[in-house]
Amino acid sequence: MRLAGRAAAGVLLVGLGLVLSPQAVPVYDGIDAPDEPYRYVVRPLWSNDTPPPTSASATSPVRNGVSLHGLSLATREVGPQFSLFLPVGALRVLPVGAARAGDAFTVQVTPVAAAVDAPPGTRVDGNTYAVAFAVPGRQVSLTPQAALASLQIRATTGKQPPPVVQHRPAAGQPWVALETARVGVDIYAAKFPGVGEFQLVFAVEEKEGGGSGGAPQALLGLGVLVLVASVVVVRLRSAR
Amino acid sequence: MRLWALLVGFATAVGLRVLLGGDDPARSVPAALVFAAALLVLCAAARPRVPITRRGLLIGLLGAVVLCLPVLLLQAADWQPLRGMTGFAPWFAAVTVVVAAEELFLRGALFEAVRRPGVAVVLGAVCFALLHVPLYGWHVVPLDLAVGLVLGALRVEAGTPLAPFVAHLSADAVGWFVA
């Protein structure tokens, strides 16, 4: 195969890899490019002084009572702290048939202070985000197309075990855990169930008894020994 | 025996990176540099050949296009603003060290320790994919396997680890802006 053909095959192979690894970081190796420090609505005392977190909004015209465009919106931090994707036709004006010419859906994402009423045994990570839809003078609901809608929230840390995305339709209502997938070092995705508030929560760790601090040091020492042994063997074998 | 020692050393280097990386091993620069140092020590023992040739450089640049093109096409299809230059220089300096260590090891020392080039390419790609699992999770294996195969092919084509090093580093640099 000529060089150009092999190069084309390489492009296809990498493309296939990207398809099979959605959400994989495009940095193939090295050190993950750092996000800017997390921006809090209410900054903890120990965190960096940062600009306030940003909101996001997008609009779509109404056509035949449903949203004409798919909507992809993300807050403007690097990386975004909240992203939302709504496919074409995901939103509907209620009551059915009440849409007027010139109507447009507006989707708004707003950071709010972390909720104080997180479920027991959990700790809220970062901000809570409120998502709202609006059409002036009308109500909005989701269509079956909205089953494809999804959101992503950035955690303040890549710490594992992973946090869980929680949702509630309005303040004061109980939080519901959503099926959460890790899609980046500190980015978590879930299906979008509807308007309301969203947050990430970590399970509160129980403090273990003392004595576990020595294990990492012992492993480190063992690792260094194994590495030295490997180097010696490689050197001896290379010298023959 | 030499091959097994290299593989054990490699696995140990990855383990050290995870141990030292704390909550976020993918972003820990000290852990990454320790990982790179461990690989470089193994390379110093194995002494892989690293010819610096124009062909190696050109093949590497072609490889950079191969690695970046799918990502850039995706970026164009789903337009997102590019990241700025803030913080790029120190990040790139650290990445250069890590990439150099990886390519010297995977497409240098390890490659030369395997008799057959085809097997060396596949083994290097598997190691490349597996080293990312503790950092990013299993979902990156298909992509990193594909990239590892391309980098291995560049090594075979150019006859020097210089080519995969150039391609790998260029792709990472582009990745900064599209991440």
Side-chain angles (χ1 to χ4, degrees):
Chain A
M1 201 191 303
R2 296 176 59 167
L3 190 58
R6 290 198 291 268
V11 171
L12 286 174
L13 185 61
V14 173
L16 179 63
L18 275 171
V19 167
L20 294 175
S21 294
Q23 312 293 347
V25 289
V27 177
Y28 295 122
D29 193 76
I31 305 153
D32 192 34
D35 293 331
E36 63 168 280
Y38 192 89
R39 300 189 192 184
Y40 292 89
V41 172
V42 177
R43 186 171 67 85
L45 290 174
W46 42 259
S47 72
N48 294 323
D49 189 14
T50 62
T54 59
S55 304
S57 67
T59 61
S60 167
V62 177
R63 173 77 57 85
N64 297 325
V66 298
S67 49
L68 177 65
H69 298 148
L71 294 173
S72 176
L73 55 164
T75 57
R76 293 187 302 281
E77 300 83 13
V78 178
Q81 294 182 184
F82 192 96
S83 307
L84 179 63
F85 167 70
L86 294 165
V88 171
L91 305 177
R92 173 169 47 211
V93 173
L94 290 178
V96 175
R100 298 170 299 200
D103 277 350
F105 294 101
T106 299
V107 180
Q108 179 74 33
V109 173
T110 308
V112 298
V116 298
D117 56 347
T122 65
R123 172 181 62 81
V124 179
D125 181 74
N127 305 320
T128 298
Y129 281 85
V131 177
F133 307 143
V135 173
R138 300 283 183 269
Q139 291 184 338
V140 179
S141 75
L142 296 177
T143 70
Q145 283 299 105
L148 299 173
S150 64
L151 64 97
Q152 293 183 2
I153 304 183
R154 180 182 140 198
T156 65
T157 170
K159 174 182 156 181
Q160 299 295 293
V164 171
V165 178
Q166 292 186 335
H167 166 256
R168 63 181 179 186
Q173 297 199 10
W175 290 99
V176 174
L178 304 178
E179 191 173 328
T180 304
R182 187 186 191 194
V183 296
V185 174
D186 55 5
I187 308 292
Y188 297 88
K191 287 194 180 296
F192 177 71
V195 296
E197 295 182 337
F198 296 86
Q199 64 183 13
L200 278 173
V201 296
F202 282 96
V204 172
E205 295 168 2
E206 294 181 6
K207 289 209 179 289
E208 296 177 357
S212 63
Q217 290 173 346
L219 280 173
L220 204 57
L222 182 63
V224 171
L225 282 174
V226 171
L227 188 64
V228 168
S230 303
V231 169
V232 169
V233 172
V234 170
R235 192 70 203 105
L236 288 174
R237 288 287 167 173
S238 298
R240 291 188 182 183
Chain B
M1 184 70 170
R2 182 163 158 245
L3 175 61
W4 283 110
L6 284 171
L7 290 173
V8 168
F10 174 74
T12 305
V14 174
L16 286 173
R17 182 175 188 177
V18 172
L19 260 178
L20 294 170
D23 290 341
D24 216 342
R27 291 209 181 117
S28 169
V29 173
L33 293 178
V34 167
F35 168 70
L39 292 187
L40 289 172
V41 167
L42 287 165
C43 290
R47 297 191 181 175
R49 292 186 301 274
V50 190
I52 306 296
T53 62
R54 194 172 76 161
R55 177 177 172 80
L57 184 62
L58 291 175
I59 297 292
L61 291 173
L62 176 63
V65 172
V66 169
L67 293 181
C68 296
L69 195 57
V71 175
L72 291 173
L73 287 174
L74 268 181
Q75 175 79 359
D78 181 22
W79 178 252
Q80 297 287 337
L82 298 177
R83 180 195 294 262
M85 289 288 294
T86 306
F88 178 76
W91 173 85
F92 188 69
V95 166
T96 300
V97 173
V98 176
V99 169
E102 286 188 7
E103 294 307 325
L104 264 176
F105 181 85
L106 292 173
R107 263 63 72 166
L110 191 67
F111 189 93
E112 291 177 3
V114 180
R115 292 185 195 279
R116 294 185 186 175
V119 175
V121 168
V122 171
L123 181 61
V126 169
C127 289
F128 184 74
L130 290 179
L131 85 86
H132 291 88
V133 171
L135 307 178
Y136 302 117
W138 286 99
H139 68 283
V140 301
V141 165
L143 175 61
D144 286 332
L145 202 56
V147 170
L149 289 172
V150 170
L151 293 173
L154 293 176
R155 169 64 175 86
V156 172
E157 183 69 38
T160 169
L162 176 65
F165 166 74
V166 169
H168 190 165
L169 189 62
S170 305
D172 280 1
V174 168
W176 165 277
F177 295 101
V178 302

